Amino acid sequence: MPTPPDPDPFHDHDHDACSGAVLEHALTRLEAEGARLTPVRRRTLEILLESHRAMGAYDVLQRLSAEGFGSQPPVAYRALEFLVNHGLVHRVQRLNAYAACLSPQKDHSPVFLICRGCDKVAETGSSDLRAAIGGLATSNRFTVERTTVEILGLCSQCVAAGAEARA
Amino acid sequence: MPTPPDPDPFHDHDHDACSGAVLEHALTRLEAEGARLTPVRRRTLEILLESHRAMGAYDVLQRLSAEGFGSQPPVAYRALEFLVNHGLVHRVQRLNAYAACLSPQKDHSPVFLICRGCDKVAETGSSDLRAAIGGLATSNRFTVERTTVEILGLCSQCVAAGAEARA
DNA sequence: TGGCATAATGTTATATCATCACAATTAACT
DNA sequence: AGTTAATTGTGATGATATAACATTATGCCA
């Protein structure tokens, strides 16, 4: 059976609604873990949520610096590392970039769809995929701690726009 | 049902046997594609095969340079890019490193198991996982071109050795 | 409240990874 | 041999990330 008419995560996304919920959830979760969402950390998360894109550390830094926070790389890297460690932000390896997690409530292994046509990134997930990774780990006697799953290709709009050419 | 007694890809691997086969296969494939395995490219592949590890571009460069090839970064990066494009080498995103593909005969989406205890990397694959990615792509109307699947954790030996502590 | 320990922030400096631009060489094909 | 395209080499620079250490803020509790 085909799955129900999924929304297209690249284009059918109510961002304002999700941002608020994510931020609220972040506070709850961090409190439970005894961690502090300090001003820099909070702004860093907000910046990523507002942009709704994968941003490089130096892009984030520029925004933070312009708002009166420190201007040196560690300022951004530390805030990002904190958020990543608490599952509020993911690192997109292929882009050397960071994106706010949009479903922090689930204990998930995120999957990123990276469109090379429009450079947008969509976060999704799949229980089949988690199961497959679990099986792989078992049969290789490997203890999983973190997974990176990134799919590079073209989103539907870019395909429609004829962005076929593959480098 | 458990899968049959899989070999542990970290420790039960006949490397000499596979290296020769891989190299031989590389020649065949490249000829078919009209691409040339020049001396630098060949040595780059051999170096990765011999080390049987994921190596950084600058590590490869050092080896190449010591053997009389050029000493500037582009020398290594170009050879690696060529090999990656032809599916003979994979890039391990999490490590900013490169590893020779050990099963270049299959049209595969590789999966890397990265042990943070001993820093070894094992390449594997899974048809379940490929299927899950295919399903995800379909339900998100996404056209897949390349996939990155990397699993960070501990190999069996490192678990046995008590490398439990998680940063 | 004052004093201590810890965590967080800020800065300078530097390490690491990757690419640009252009010259020199080599290979492939008339 | 002559022409073109691919490949290689080099210097310079760009982009990403961390080390080391001083300073400030926070939490705790005597």
Side-chain angles (χ1 to χ4, degrees):
Chain A
M1 284 274 70
T3 49
D6 285 308
D8 179 333
F10 280 95
H11 310 107
D12 303 340
H13 177 72
D14 180 350
H15 185 54
D16 288 341
C18 91
S19 284
V22 167
L23 199 55
E24 192 177 343
H25 196 88
L27 285 160
T28 311
R29 174 198 297 215
L30 290 178
E31 191 175 2
E33 297 182 8
R36 295 164 49 210
L37 191 63
T38 60
V40 215
R41 293 169 177 172
R42 182 184 176 122
R43 262 319 275 157
T44 300
L45 178 56
E46 287 172 352
I47 286 167
L48 287 174
L49 282 168
E50 286 163 11
S51 83
H52 198 223
R53 323 191 23 167
M55 296 179 71
Y58 281 74
D59 295 328
V60 173
L61 176 60
Q62 207 173 335
R63 301 279 305 270
L64 289 173
S65 173
E67 296 180 22
F69 295 100
S71 61
Q72 300 306 313
V75 170
Y77 281 103
R78 283 194 288 234
L80 290 167
E81 183 188 29
F82 171 89
L83 295 168
V84 167
N85 284 339
H86 288 83
L88 300 171
V89 163
H90 297 300
R91 181 182 162 82
V92 184
Q93 303 282 348
R94 185 172 287 268
L95 304 177
N96 290 339
Y98 300 83
C101 175
L102 299 182
S103 53
Q105 63 283 2
K106 317 182 220 173
D107 170 32
H108 66 311
S109 1
V111 175
F112 288 102
L113 304 174
I114 304 170
C115 177
R116 70 166 170 78
C118 59
D119 284 325
K120 283 189 193 156
V121 172
E123 179 184 351
T124 167
S126 153
S127 54
D128 284 353
L129 195 136
R130 267 201 303 283
I133 288 175
L136 208 44
T138 301
S139 67
N140 287 291
R141 316 195 210 322
F142 192 81
T143 304
V144 176
E145 288 177 353
R146 278 179 111 89
T147 62
T148 300
V149 182
E150 299 177 358
I151 308 180
L152 181 70
L154 291 173
C155 74
S156 55
Q157 283 194 359
C158 285
V159 168
E164 298 293 335
R166 175 108 143 68
Chain B
M1 284 276 72
T3 50
D6 284 308
D8 179 332
F10 280 95
H11 310 107
D12 302 342
H13 177 73
D14 180 349
H15 185 53
D16 289 341
C18 91
S19 283
V22 167
L23 199 55
E24 192 176 343
H25 197 88
L27 284 160
T28 310
R29 173 197 297 213
L30 290 178
E31 190 175 3
E33 297 182 8
R36 295 164 48 210
L37 191 64
T38 60
V40 214
R41 293 169 177 173
R42 181 183 176 122
R43 261 320 274 158
T44 300
L45 179 55
E46 287 173 351
I47 286 168
L48 287 174
L49 282 169
E50 286 163 11
S51 83
H52 198 225
R53 324 190 25 169
M55 295 179 72
Y58 278 72
D59 296 328
V60 173
L61 177 59
Q62 207 173 335
R63 301 278 306 268
L64 290 173
S65 173
E67 295 181 22
F69 295 99
S71 61
Q72 301 303 314
V75 170
Y77 280 103
R78 283 193 290 234
L80 290 167
E81 183 188 28
F82 171 89
L83 295 167
V84 167
N85 284 339
H86 288 83
L88 301 171
V89 163
H90 298 299
R91 181 182 161 81
V92 183
Q93 303 281 349
R94 184 173 287 269
L95 304 177
N96 291 339
Y98 300 83
C101 175
L102 299 182
S103 54
Q105 63 284 0
K106 317 182 219 172
D107 170 31
H108 66 313
S109 1
V111 175
F112 289 102
L113 304 174
I114 304 169
C115 178
R116 70 165 171 79
C118 59
D119 285 324
K120 282 189 192 155
V121 171
E123 178 184 352
T124 168
S126 153
S127 54
D128 284 352
L129 195 136
R130 267 201 302 282
I133 288 176
L136 207 45
T138 300
S139 67
N140 287 291
R141 316 196 211 323
F142 192 82
T143 304
V144 175
E145 288 178 353
R146 276 179 113 89
T147 62
T148 300
V149 182
E150 299 177 359
I151 307 180
L152 181 69
L154 291 173
C155 73
S156 55
Q157 282 194 359
C158 286
V159 169
E164 298 292 335
R166 177 111 142 65

